[in-house]
Amino acid sequence: MAATLEYPESARRAIEPGDLSTRAAAEAYVGGVCFKLGPPTLIGAELEWLTVQGECSASGPAAGPRPQLSAFAAALGPYAPRSIAPDSPALPLPGGSRVTLEPGGQIELSSAPYAAAAELCERLVGDARYLRELLETRCIRILSLAADADRRPKRMLQLPRYRAMEQTFGGIGPFGKLMMCNTAAAQVSVDAGADRAEVTARWTALYAMGPALVAAFACSPALRGAPDGTWASQRMRAWLRLDNARTRPPVQEWSDPVAAYGRWALDVPLLCVRRPDAAAEGDGREWTAPPGATFADWLSGALDDEIGRRPDTADLDYHLTTLFPPVRASGHLEVRYLDAQPGDTWTVPIHVIDALLSAPAAVAEATALAAPVVGRWLQSARYGLADTEIRKAAVELLALAAAHARTPSVARELDDASHRCRRGRTPTDIRVEAAS
């Protein structure tokens, strides 16, 4: 849930700040900043972990209190994000990753982009190890879990953005606070494509593959506070159920995602309205948006009485960070539908995405293999690999990824993952079996 996006400067120059005079101009701006065109060469990732304050031992209990923000700041020192240490230089870790904190005390590493998935994984493995060592100096442990099965959701970050999110989502149901405070993901980011045709192909493939890959990497069957029900991925359940307008764009109807994303984004209800002077907790000047109002409403002047000003491009930039679809356009494409993986096995989905997008032929074949399960997000989150059709698609996609792997060792890793799925085993099952 990163609070900022980095957009291409060329797109920023296309429309000067404040020039959102029409809806058409706003849609064009979104298309330009959210889909940077160029040869697809880079890959990055964001890894999230739950955290616990407790015994300074790797074998300490998984259940325990959330660490205090002061403990995070002391442990991270110059790497601490400014959300918890305003005067911090917020330096990147030695491998180039930056540390951020999520509302419930989850910690996140956001990598730099790399030309090769192997280098990305190598740098992230090193930075994850370094992060663990830093946190252990204050007896904070990170847990490789995609959902918190033990603790009630509790928001630690007292920022206006998150207060507004909690208030908005709280009016819909329990899943908003659960998502914010009790879940963790593994996200993969890739270039959008060289031209609109390639963008459409890659976008379509990532959405088509989504349900099968959700099932392939589902490992969050328990989430405290969620309504009763057996789910393979409680984390994905929370995302899908918290706010349909924000999390489920009708991409199956989109022949041109560059244009359609802009239309969709403007019609998503505002999650919050930035008021830079409302920094202190409870100062009465909250960021809460008028209920049900969209960015298009704000742009048209319908909210002049409530907000008192029209939006500019900075407001639109910020609104885009409050959209949470399974794949988000942020200049590049963010794959957001994968559970956090046990141990260092998050390297597997990184290599899967990299391989399946490695060439136009692989993209086309992956899209065809996934076609029978397109749009079956809820079924994949609920049943995972127990759904035979979804399992078949997962097995075939991972086998295709192995065939397009960059190196023999990665091919073996992906082939093992395909065989795991064929047996209906989750990543956690394999981890437990290996340890026994």
Side-chain angles (χ1 to χ4, degrees):
M1 292 194 309
T4 59
L5 296 178
E6 294 183 0
Y7 298 128
E9 187 62 28
S10 59
R12 287 191 175 280
R13 288 196 299 268
I15 297 178
E16 294 299 325
D19 183 13
L20 294 180
S21 56
T22 66
R23 176 171 180 134
E27 289 182 7
Y29 180 81
V30 172
V33 299
C34 288
F35 294 90
K36 178 183 177 182
L37 301 183
T41 58
L42 299 177
I43 186 168
E46 296 180 6
L47 306 177
E48 297 173 351
W49 295 274
L50 304 180
T51 60
V52 63
Q53 181 78 59
E55 301 175 11
C56 288
S57 166
S59 60
R66 300 170 196 267
Q68 295 297 309
L69 300 185
S70 57
F72 279 119
L76 295 171
Y79 308 108
R82 294 192 180 98
S83 61
I84 61 171
D87 296 327
S88 172
L91 299 176
L93 296 179
S97 306
R98 294 190 179 275
V99 182
T100 54
L101 213 65
E102 295 297 327
Q106 309 97 311
I107 202 158
E108 177 181 279
L109 283 185
S110 298
S111 78
Y114 293 98
E119 183 179 8
L120 166 66
C121 292
E122 180 181 356
R123 295 295 187 95
L124 272 173
V125 165
D127 278 350
R129 184 181 306 115
Y130 193 77
L131 177 64
R132 288 188 184 92
E133 293 170 355
L134 289 173
L135 296 178
E136 286 170 0
T137 65
R138 294 297 187 275
C139 297
I140 300 171
R141 291 187 298 110
I142 61 176
L143 307 176
S144 298
L145 300 172
D148 195 327
D150 300 304
R151 300 176 296 190
R152 293 185 178 90
K154 179 181 179 181
R155 181 165 57 87
M156 307 297 290
L157 283 179
Q158 304 301 322
L159 302 178
R161 171 187 174 93
Y162 296 131
R163 293 202 300 273
M165 288 176 67
E166 184 174 339
Q167 181 172 334
T168 299
F169 291 147
I172 299 173
F175 290 104
K177 193 168 185 179
L178 288 170
M179 174 278 292
M180 292 171 65
C181 302
N182 278 32
T183 66
Q187 299 180 19
V188 184
S189 294
V190 294
D191 284 328
D195 53 36
R196 288 171 87 111
E198 185 169 37
V199 168
T200 299
R202 290 164 68 86
W203 174 271
T204 300
L206 289 172
Y207 266 96
M209 297 185 297
L213 295 186
V214 165
F217 296 103
C219 55
S220 54
L223 174 62
R224 179 164 180 175
D228 290 343
T230 301
W231 290 71
S233 176
Q234 292 278 9
R235 183 204 63 84
M236 192 61 184
R237 177 195 190 188
W239 278 103
L240 292 171
R241 295 288 298 278
L242 67 92
D243 183 351
N244 284 354
R246 195 173 311 281
T247 64
R248 297 198 215 175
V251 296
Q252 289 171 249
E253 304 168 11
W254 294 358
S255 59
D256 179 1
V258 177
Y261 196 84
R263 292 194 297 271
W264 170 71
L266 295 189
D267 289 330
V268 174
L270 293 165
L271 186 57
C272 54
V273 175
R274 293 181 309 138
R275 295 179 173 89
D277 58 345
E281 174 77 26
D283 68 356
R285 294 167 293 180
E286 298 295 331
W287 288 23
T288 306
T294 67
F295 194 92
D297 293 332
W298 190 11
L299 185 66
S300 73
L303 307 181
D304 284 357
D305 290 341
E306 292 93 334
I307 299 178
R309 64 180 179 86
R310 298 288 176 90
D312 59 19
T313 53
D315 294 307
L316 183 47
D317 288 348
Y318 199 85
H319 175 64
L320 294 171
T321 74
T322 69
L323 310 181
F324 306 126
V327 181
R328 184 165 69 181
S330 303
H332 51 270
L333 306 180
E334 298 176 1
V335 178
R336 302 172 55 86
Y337 47 67
L338 301 170
D339 278 5
Q341 298 294 287
D344 288 339
T345 61
W346 45 262
T347 60
V348 179
I350 289 177
H351 287 301
V352 168
I353 298 295
D354 178 56
L356 293 178
L357 298 184
S358 60
V363 171
E365 188 172 355
T367 304
L369 290 175
V373 298
V374 165
R376 295 183 61 185
W377 296 100
L378 277 172
Q379 294 93 330
S380 66
R382 181 187 287 273
Y383 302 113
L385 296 171
D387 183 298
T388 55
E389 194 169 28
I390 291 174
R391 183 172 71 228
K392 179 176 184 292
V395 169
E396 291 176 345
L397 284 171
L398 293 181
L400 177 64
H404 288 272
R406 308 283 188 176
T407 67
S409 62
V410 170
R412 289 191 293 271
E413 186 177 21
L414 301 188
D415 194 51
D416 288 345
S418 179
H419 286 296
R420 168 182 65 75
C421 289
R422 189 182 301 278
R423 293 184 288 130
R425 310 298 285 168
T426 72
T428 305
D429 291 337
I430 298 302
R431 186 89 172 171
V432 170
E433 290 167 5
S436 62

